Amino acid sequence: MSIEHKKKILVMMSTFNGEKYLKEQIDSILNQKTEHEVYLQIRDDGSRDRTCEIVTEYISKYPGKITFSKGGNLGYNASFFQLINAAGGYDYYSISDQDDIWLDDKLHVACNSIDRQRNNTPILYASTSYLVHNELKPYGTTRKKQRPLSIYNTIVQNICPGHTQVMNNAMLELLKGNLDFSRIYVYDSWITNMANLYGTILFDNVPHTLYRQYGGNQLGAGRGKAGQLLASLKRVKRGDGLKYRRQIEYFIEINKDMLINKGYYEELVRFISAKTFGERIKYLCTSKLYRQNYLESCALYGAIIVGRY
C-alpha cells in the first residue's frame, strides 16, 4: 500500500502519574505491525511524577507522531471524553491505558475487522486480553464472549474493556457531546452501550493486549469463571453496582427515543423503577437482564434483590 493511500489510526491515551510503565506502552503502540499510519494523542490528567517528561522525550524521538496536552485533574472518564471530543480526521480511533502492553498485531486485527463490515454505521471493536502481573507472564484472560452481546447484557456488564476498544469515524462522532460525567461510572461501559444501541459491536475472543494487574487494579478482572465471580462480588460489596445503576438511569435519560424505537425502553425502566424488596423480586421473575455466564448472572440477581444494583 503506497504512503498516499495509507489510512491513519489515532490512539487516544489519558495519563496520570504513569511514569513506571508508560515507556513500554508507548513503544508497543508505535511499533505495531500494521499497514496503516499510527499516531498518538496524549492528554495528561494532572500528573505529579515524570510522566510529562517521558512524553516530551518520545515527542522528540518520534517527530510528527505524538501530540500532547496537559490539563487539570478531571478523572479518567472526563479525560478520555476530552480526547474523544477533540479527535477527528483519522480513519480509526483506539483507546489506550498507560500501563499495558499491546501485542504487535492488535491494530492490524482490529482495523481489518472493522473494514470487513463495509458500511458507515458506528462500529466498535473490542477483545479479550491476557491478564499479567509485573513479570508479564499471562495467567489468564479477561472475560470472553459466551452469550450474545445484547443491550440486556452490556447494560449490566462491562464486557468491552476500554484498553481494547477500536472504532471507526461514525462511532467516534456518535460519542461526541457534552455529558454529565458525575453520572457516568465507567467510560468504556458507556461507549459499549452507545455502540450496542446505535451501531455494531465486534468482539474478538482472541487476546491482543497484556493487561497488567497490580494493586487495586486486580479487581478489574478475575482469573477464570470463579475469579470473575469473585471480582463481581467484590465490586458489589464496594458499591459498584449502585454506581452502574446511576449510569443506567442517565443512559436511559439521554437515549430515551432510540431505546423506545429499539424496544428496550420498557424493560430498562422496569428495572430502575423496582425500588422495594417486593418490587425487585417481582421484576426478576420476568427480567431480561443477564451476564455472560450463569454464576455471574446469579450474582447480578442477588445484588438486585438486596438493593445493591
Side-chain angles (χ1 to χ4, degrees), residues 30-129:
L30 295 180
N31 289 294
Q32 287 287 295
K33 292 182 178 179
T34 172
E35 65 270 32
H36 307 309
E37 293 283 348
V38 179
Y39 297 86
L40 182 57
Q41 172 69 58
I42 300 174
R43 179 193 180 274
D44 187 72
D45 198 38
S47 292
R48 298 181 297 274
D49 63 359
R50 291 190 61 254
T51 293
C52 295
E53 294 176 38
I54 292 170
V55 174
T56 301
E57 291 171 8
Y58 271 84
I59 291 173
S60 298
K61 184 178 179 181
Y62 294 93
K65 285 287 189 177
I66 303 172
T67 52
F68 181 47
S69 61
K70 300 178 185 179
N73 184 237
L74 303 177
Y76 62 89
N77 286 324
S79 188
F80 273 117
F81 274 104
Q82 276 212 359
L83 286 163
I84 288 168
N85 281 327
Y90 295 81
D91 299 285
Y92 315 93
Y93 303 86
S94 181
I95 291 173
S96 173
D97 287 340
Q98 64 182 3
D99 51 6
D100 301 323
I101 293 179
W102 289 6
L103 302 185
D104 60 16
D105 68 342
K106 175 190 166 100
L107 291 178
H108 172 78
V109 171
C111 294
N112 282 357
S113 297
I114 291 172
D115 284 346
R116 283 195 291 271
Q117 299 302 301
R118 295 182 180 178
N119 61 56
N120 295 319
T121 62
I123 299 172
L124 177 69
Y125 166 94
S127 72
T128 58
S129 296

Side-chain angles (χ1 to χ4, degrees), residues 107-223:
L107 291 178
H108 172 78
V109 171
C111 294
N112 282 357
S113 297
I114 291 172
D115 284 346
R116 283 195 291 271
Q117 299 302 301
R118 295 182 180 178
N119 61 56
N120 295 319
T121 62
I123 299 172
L124 177 69
Y125 166 94
S127 72
T128 58
S129 296
Y130 288 114
L131 298 171
V132 301
H133 291 309
N134 289 345
E135 69 276 11
L136 301 180
K137 292 181 180 179
Y139 66 88
T141 66
T142 57
R143 189 174 286 101
K144 293 187 176 183
K145 177 179 175 289
Q146 299 172 277
R147 304 176 68 183
L149 299 183
S150 79
I151 199 76
Y152 299 129
N153 171 225
T154 61
I155 202 74
V156 291
Q157 185 169 39
N158 196 7
I159 187 69
C160 299
H163 66 272
T164 74
Q165 292 181 349
V166 182
M167 66 192 77
N168 64 355
N169 252 307
M171 186 68 223
L172 179 87
E173 292 302 319
L174 175 64
L175 296 172
K176 291 184 176 183
N178 296 318
L179 294 170
D180 182 353
F181 299 110
S182 69
R183 302 178 69 184
I184 295 178
Y185 177 45
V186 278
Y187 75 93
D188 45 3
S189 172
W190 185 271
I191 291 172
T192 299
N193 285 303
M194 291 293 287
N196 215 345
L197 186 59
Y198 293 93
T200 301
I201 297 175
L202 308 175
F203 194 86
D204 186 355
N205 275 340
V206 178
H208 301 284
T209 302
L210 303 182
Y211 181 31
R212 204 186 300 264
Q213 301 290 290
Y214 55 91
N217 189 43
Q218 293 191 42
L219 290 180
R223 180 178 181 176

